[in-house]
Amino acid sequence: MAQFFSLFPENPQPRLLRQAAEIIRDGGLVVFPTDSAYALAGQTGDAHLLERIRRIRGVDDRHHLTLMVRDLSEIAHYARVDNAQYRLLKAVTPGPYTFILEGTKELPRRVLHPKRKTIGIRCPSHPVVAALLGELNEPMLTSTLLLPGEDLPLTDAEEIRERLEKQVDLVIEAGACGPEATTVIDLTGGAPAVIRRGLGPLGPLGLDD
């Protein structure tokens, strides 16, 4: 049975943040709101948690999962970023973007795309997520909460709890959260390529909106 925490959107309660971080450290699967849609999240290196995320999402190992980090200083530790890519990331982070980048050896192979050895990298601008990442002091492995056969992610925390209460360990509610996912940009080629058009505008990336 999933636990349910209601956090203040701007100043989340430290006690509940500590409890949420402990659930994640113990291998728990958590749902929380972001600056785009709700996300599934947990510890990066946990193989069982990785399979739980894929099972809920109905995806295989070719589907890119996302490493959610606190800031740009963490990105270079987990992904290979050249100067041009860094300038692009700096222009739009934190924000509702996911960037496909080549992973480093700091990441377990199981979380990378099996052929491309790439991963999604995301630095959100949601205060609750930032506070939770700070409490954990490490990135989280995440995926948009889009269920198989549905066109849009779930937006209501109570409905999420009802539908996933036996599949996740914690649902966090922290105010309104929309249905739109991030904009996904592949940076592994010669030029940025839009993989999924979502909430983040393309103009700041030098691409046509």
Side-chain angles (χ1 to χ4, degrees):
M1 185 72 71
Q3 296 189 63
F4 189 93
F5 292 173
S6 288
L7 271 63
F8 301 137
E10 297 299 328
N11 296 291
Q13 303 92 310
R15 176 180 60 83
L16 293 179
L17 285 172
R18 288 193 295 271
Q19 290 180 24
E22 198 59 39
I23 289 170
I24 291 171
R25 291 191 191 101
D26 288 343
L29 181 55
V30 177
V31 177
F32 54 69
T34 74
D35 50 352
S36 56
Y38 270 95
L40 293 157
Q43 269 195 327
T44 301
D46 191 317
H48 179 57
L49 179 127
L50 177 62
E51 290 308 312
R52 290 175 69 189
I53 292 176
R54 286 175 173 154
R55 187 164 56 248
I56 291 172
R57 285 292 320 272
V59 298
D60 60 21
D61 62 358
R62 292 174 304 234
H63 178 86
H64 275 108
L65 297 179
T66 297
L67 194 69
M68 196 171 279
V69 299
R70 282 178 290 185
D71 52 44
L72 281 178
S73 66
E74 284 192 327
I75 290 177
H77 191 64
Y78 300 101
R80 303 186 191 284
V81 182
D82 62 27
N83 290 336
Q85 291 169 334
Y86 184 85
R87 287 194 296 270
L88 201 65
L89 293 167
K90 189 174 181 180
V92 296
T93 58
Y97 299 88
T98 299
F99 295 95
I100 305 300
L101 291 161
E102 182 184 351
T104 68
K105 292 183 179 179
E106 297 299 323
L107 289 172
R109 289 176 64 90
R110 69 175 72 95
V111 307
L112 301 173
H113 188 282
K115 291 186 177 180
R116 300 179 60 199
K117 308 306 177 192
T118 48
I119 191 166
I121 297 286
R122 168 147 154 66
C123 180
S125 61
H126 194 291
V128 168
V129 183
L132 184 54
L133 286 165
E135 184 67 37
L136 278 168
N137 198 32
E138 63 181 74
M140 289 184 284
L141 190 68
T142 71
S143 183
T144 301
L145 182 51
L146 178 62
L147 300 183
E150 302 198 1
D151 295 326
L152 293 172
L154 299 177
T155 61
D156 182 78
E158 292 285 358
E159 181 187 359
I160 292 169
R161 183 189 193 185
E162 182 179 326
R163 296 181 63 176
L164 299 180
E165 64 177 357
K166 295 182 180 179
Q167 298 180 68
V168 303
D169 301 290
L170 171 64
V171 176
I172 294 176
E173 184 272 330
C177 187
E180 199 166 2
T182 58
T183 287
V184 180
I185 306 292
D186 190 340
L187 295 182
T188 60
V194 180
I195 303 301
R196 180 181 71 197
R197 183 68 191 275
L199 193 59
L202 300 179
L205 299 167
L207 301 170
D208 292 331
D209 269 314

